[in-house]
Amino acid sequence: MLLPRIFAPVRASPHTSSIISIPTTHVLAVLRTANGASTPVSGSASTPFLSFTRHASHQAQGRANGAKDGPGKRLGAKKSGGEYVIPGNIIFRQRGTAWFPGENCKFGRDHCVFATESGYVRYYRDPFRHPKRQYIGVALKKEDTLPYPRNAARRRRLNMVTAEYEPQPEPPTIEEQVVAGDLQIAEGMAKDAKPVQNLVMGKGYAYREANWDIGRAAERANVQVKEFVPGDRWAAWRKSQARREANIEKKKLRNAGKKTKPAKARKRG
């Protein structure tokens, strides 16, 4: 802060034996000279001078931490390694492709990695797919490690693995049972045997019975159905015609009571 100009003599201190009168504009330098300050004073002896620097007393206006665009985007890992996730859970949010989706994971529209299957999160590298990329995957079992072996069986959408199919032995036919002497079992199977259906391939490669065969299911099952008796269509037509004629007659009678204006004769030019 700048000090005002003082041209009058300045009294140094009541403790001093003499009064020093020095015409000067620097009050602070005069006071130091009068009190015998140890600080050296620059300038001549008649007019001492003290130079000093003015520092800012308040911070300049401006943003403290630079321009900000609202709250943070909350980027980073949302699920740690080994944590259980379900389909749709976001595992990692990022800008760019620092991490790539691996087993049972996919990319989102904003490059986030999310799970497509239920399992446990794994962060890993796969040198067979790409030597420098980092992958995030979901292991279906807690003890599994990623990446899976290249030729290993994969669990697909239904969370199933391929297994060897063991064909079951075919049951013996009726003729074989009769020859073997097991007539009672043969008779029981003959009673429970269903009739062979005549399946025909229709639209969409679907095998089904013909419509006429389906319509006779009640007949084959000895179910009595009430016979359909069609009505007399000729009599119904005659009644409808009589109703139309009667409605026309009524309309004519209603219009007969109304006065109608005579038509104007056209002028011949």
Side-chain angles (χ1 to χ4, degrees), residues 23-182:
T24 178
T25 59
H26 301 278
V27 178
L28 186 60
V30 172
L31 293 175
R32 288 188 175 180
T33 305
N35 295 328
S38 60
T39 307
V41 180
S42 62
S44 61
S46 61
T47 57
F49 175 75
L50 178 66
S51 63
F52 61 95
T53 306
R54 178 183 179 275
H55 298 281
S57 57
H58 293 281
Q59 185 181 2
Q61 293 295 330
R63 301 187 112 176
N65 298 325
K68 285 192 176 180
D69 195 9
K73 302 304 179 182
R74 308 298 188 263
L75 304 179
K78 306 302 174 187
K79 302 290 182 181
S80 58
E83 194 169 349
Y84 185 79
V85 293
I86 61 175
N89 280 11
I90 295 176
I91 303 174
F92 201 95
R93 280 197 179 279
Q94 59 184 342
R95 290 291 176 266
T97 54
W99 293 88
F100 287 82
E103 294 283 345
N104 303 317
C105 286
K106 283 186 178 181
F107 256 147
R109 186 174 58 180
D110 57 349
H111 296 153
C112 68
V113 180
F114 65 94
T116 57
E117 296 291 339
S118 299
Y120 301 88
V121 179
R122 296 285 186 272
Y123 294 84
Y124 66 98
R125 289 182 181 270
D126 191 352
F128 291 102
R129 294 180 64 180
H130 200 282
K132 296 183 180 180
R133 287 183 178 178
Q134 305 175 106
Y135 291 95
I136 301 175
V138 174
L140 301 176
K141 291 184 178 180
K142 198 167 186 178
E143 61 272 9
D144 290 352
T145 57
L146 296 180
Y148 286 124
R150 299 186 67 186
N151 298 327
R154 295 288 193 272
R155 292 178 180 265
R156 299 303 179 186
R157 280 190 174 182
L158 299 179
N159 204 12
M160 297 181 180
V161 294
T162 56
E164 295 183 1
Y165 173 71
E166 298 180 358
Q168 299 179 356
E170 297 181 358
T173 60
I174 298 176
E175 290 79 5
E176 293 176 354
Q177 293 180 6
V178 171
V179 172
D182 199 353

Side-chain angles (χ1 to χ4, degrees), residues 225-231:
V225 182
K226 186 177 179 180
E227 187 178 358
F228 174 72
V229 179

Side-chain angles (χ1 to χ4, degrees), residues 203-222:
K203 294 181 180 179
Y205 301 97
Y207 286 88
R208 61 187 294 272
E209 299 181 45
N211 291 335
W212 63 269
D213 199 6
I214 296 174
R216 295 199 174 188
E219 182 182 347
R220 290 196 298 268
N222 296 327

